[in-house]
Amino acid sequence: MKLLVTGGAGFIGSNFVHYVLKNTDHSVTVLDKLTYAGNVHSLDALPEDRFRFVLGDIGDPAVVDALFADHDAVVHYAAESHNDNSLDDPRPFLDTNIVGTFTLLEAARKYGRRFHHISTDEVYGDLELDDPQRFTESTPYNPSSPYSSTKAGSDLLVRAWVRSFGVRATISNCSNNYGPYQHVEKFIPRQITNVLRGERPKLYGSGENVRDWIHADDHSSAVLTILEKGVIGDTYLIGADGEKNNKDVVEMILAGLGQPADAYDHVVDRAGHDLRYAIDSTKLRSELDWRPQFGDFQTGLADTIAWYRDNESWWAPQKDATEARYRAQGQ
Ligand code: NAD
Ligand code: DAU
C-alpha cells in the first residue's frame, strides 16, 4: 500500500512511520506542517525509495487533494496535541483538529480512500481514582479541555462522514504514549530532560492523577492491525493496562537517573486537570487479536530514559523555550 501519514513528524506519527517501514512493505508519504511540535530529524535515515516528506497544512485542500489522489490509505495523526497549550490559546486546536480533519474527510470522500483517524481516550473525560470501570467503546463522550473537546469534535465528524457519505473510516482512541521522539513539553520527556540538566522534575498539584501508559510501538502495531482488519465505521480503544500515578512515574525516572526519590517539586496544578484515564481494550484484543508487546513499563521507561540521554541534540533546541513558557505559568 501507499500510505499517507499526516503529522508524521510528530511524536507518535514518526514512531508509526519507523514501525511501518521496518515491519511492512508499504511505502509512506508524510504530510506535516512542522509546527513547533514537528521535527524532521525524527524522520532521519529512512529508506529513500519508500519514504517521502511533504511540507504542508492538512487544512489546505489543494495540497490534501493532490496527495489523496495518489495514495491508497490515510492515517491521520496531525493535531495540536498539548492540553496546557489549549488552555493558553485554543484557536489552533480548532483550526487543525476540527477544520483540518474536515478537510481530510472531504478528500477521503472525493477520492474514496480508506481513512484511519487517530484519537485519544480524553474524549471520554476522566474517572475517579477508585472507579472499578474503565473506558470502553460505549462510554459517553465528556471531554474536559479545549484540546480534548476538539478531538471529540473530530471523532464525531468522522462518524458523520461514514454514515452520511459512506467514507471508509475507522477511529482509534488511545491512552498516554511514551517512547522516543516525544516533545519535551510532555510529562515524561520534560522530567527526564530536567534531571539530565540538573533541574528538578515538576509535578502538577498532588501528583495523584493517573495516566494509562502505552509504548508508542504498541500504539503503532494496534493502528496497523485496525487498518488491515478493522470494521469500517467502528471505533477501537487502544491500551496496555499501564495505569500509574504521576508521582510514581516521577519517582521511577529519578531512580532510573540515580537521584533521590523526593528530588522533585510540586507546582501549580493544570486548570480542569483530568484525574484518571483507564482503557479497557477488550474489543481490540478479542475481535482483531491484537496484543501489546511492551508488557513492562519499567523496561520501556528505562529505554526511553536512555534514548533522551543519547539524543540531547534532538531535544536541546526546544528545551529552553519550553521551560520559559512553563515558568511564566508557574509550572
Ligand atoms: P505531536 O504534537 O507530537 O505531533 C503533531 C504533529 O502534527 C507535528 O508533527 C505537527 O507539526 C503536525 N501538525 C500540527 N498541525 C498540523 C497541520 N495543520 N497540518 C499538518 N501537520 C500538522 O502529537 P502526538 O503526541 O504525536 O499526537 C499525534 C496524534 O495522536 C494526535 O492526533 C493526538 O491527539 C493523538 N494521541 C496522542 C496521544 C499521546 O499520548 N501523545 C495519545 C492518544 C492519541
Ligand atoms: O490520554 C492521551 C493524551 O495524553 C493525548 O491525547 C495527549 O495528546 C497527550 O498530550 C497526553 O495528554 P496528558 O495531558 O495526559 O499528557 P501530559 O504529558 O501533558 O501530562 C501527563 C500527566 O502529567 C498529566 O496528569 C499532567 C501531568 N504533568 C504534566 C507536565 C507537563 C505534570 O505533573 N507535570 C508536568 O510538567
Side-chain angles (χ1 to χ4, degrees), residues 105 114-115 155-171 231-234:
L105 284 167
R114 174 79 172 88
F115 187 80
D155 292 9
L156 298 183
L157 291 177
V158 176
R159 290 182 183 188
W161 262 244
V162 170
R163 175 150 176 176
S164 305
F165 305 122
V167 167
R168 292 181 296 128
T170 40
I171 300 174
V231 174
I232 297 302
D234 268 20

Side-chain angles (χ1 to χ4, degrees), residues 31-43:
L31 169 61
D32 198 294
K33 186 182 172 182
L34 294 183
T35 67
Y36 80 96
N39 189 336
V40 272
H41 295 302
S42 306
L43 300 166

Side-chain angles (χ1 to χ4, degrees), residues 220-259:
S220 294
S221 72
V223 169
L224 261 185
T225 302
I226 297 164
L227 195 62
E228 286 161 5
K229 300 197 281 185
V231 174
I232 297 302
D234 268 20
T235 288
Y236 297 88
L237 263 55
I238 305 174
D241 303 329
E243 283 189 70
K244 298 255 172 308
N245 77 34
N246 294 339
K247 185 167 164 294
D248 288 347
V249 174
V250 160
E251 288 175 357
M252 290 170 81
I253 291 169
L254 286 164
L257 287 163
Q259 300 295 311

Side-chain angles (χ1 to χ4, degrees), residues 188-202:
I188 287 181
R190 184 183 185 204
Q191 315 314 339
I192 294 172
T193 55
N194 273 3
V195 179
L196 289 173
R197 283 214 157 167
E199 304 287 333
R200 288 161 70 93
K202 311 290 181 206

Side-chain angles (χ1 to χ4, degrees), residues 74-94:
V74 180
V75 185
H76 172 35
Y77 288 91
E80 287 292 336
S81 69
H82 194 34
N83 277 298
D84 291 326
N85 293 344
S86 81
L87 296 165
D88 196 37
D89 179 15
R91 179 74 211 206
F93 290 75
L94 290 147

Side-chain angles (χ1 to χ4, degrees), residues 235-301:
T235 288
Y236 297 88
L237 263 55
I238 305 174
D241 303 329
E243 283 189 70
K244 298 255 172 308
N245 77 34
N246 294 339
K247 185 167 164 294
D248 288 347
V249 174
V250 160
E251 288 175 357
M252 290 170 81
I253 291 169
L254 286 164
L257 287 163
Q259 300 295 311
D262 61 352
Y264 61 84
D265 297 325
H266 288 278
V267 294
V268 175
D269 206 354
R270 174 182 285 171
H273 196 173
D274 279 340
L275 191 51
R276 172 175 163 238
Y277 307 137
I279 290 268
D280 177 348
S281 58
T282 302
K283 176 179 176 181
L284 179 61
R285 293 173 195 235
S286 60
E287 293 186 10
L288 303 189
D289 201 24
W290 172 82
R291 298 284 179 282
Q293 298 303 312
F294 282 78
D296 176 11
F297 178 72
Q298 186 119 26
T299 308
L301 183 64

Side-chain angles (χ1 to χ4, degrees), residues 7 9-13 31-35 37-39 56-59 76-81 96 118-120 147 151 174-177 182 186 219:
F11 164 44
I12 310 181
L31 169 61
D32 198 294
K33 186 182 172 182
L34 294 183
T35 67
N39 189 336
D57 191 324
I58 58 165
H76 172 35
Y77 288 91
E80 287 292 336
S81 69
T96 289
I118 302 293
S119 192
T120 168
Y147 161 68
K151 290 299 292 187
C174 189
S175 60
N176 285 64
N177 285 218
Q182 188 170 26
K186 302 295 194 321
H219 189 177

Side-chain angles (χ1 to χ4, degrees), residues 1 3 12-28 46-47 50 215-225 227-228 290 293-294:
M1 273 200 293
L3 288 183
I12 310 181
S14 62
N15 276 284
F16 179 75
V17 172
H18 284 277
Y19 189 91
V20 167
L21 292 173
K22 191 170 158 204
N23 294 294
T24 75
D25 294 328
H26 304 321
S27 66
V28 172
L46 292 172
R50 290 171 60 212
H215 193 278
D217 278 353
D218 280 336
H219 189 177
S220 294
S221 72
V223 169
L224 261 185
T225 302
L227 195 62
E228 286 161 5
W290 172 82
Q293 298 303 312
F294 282 78

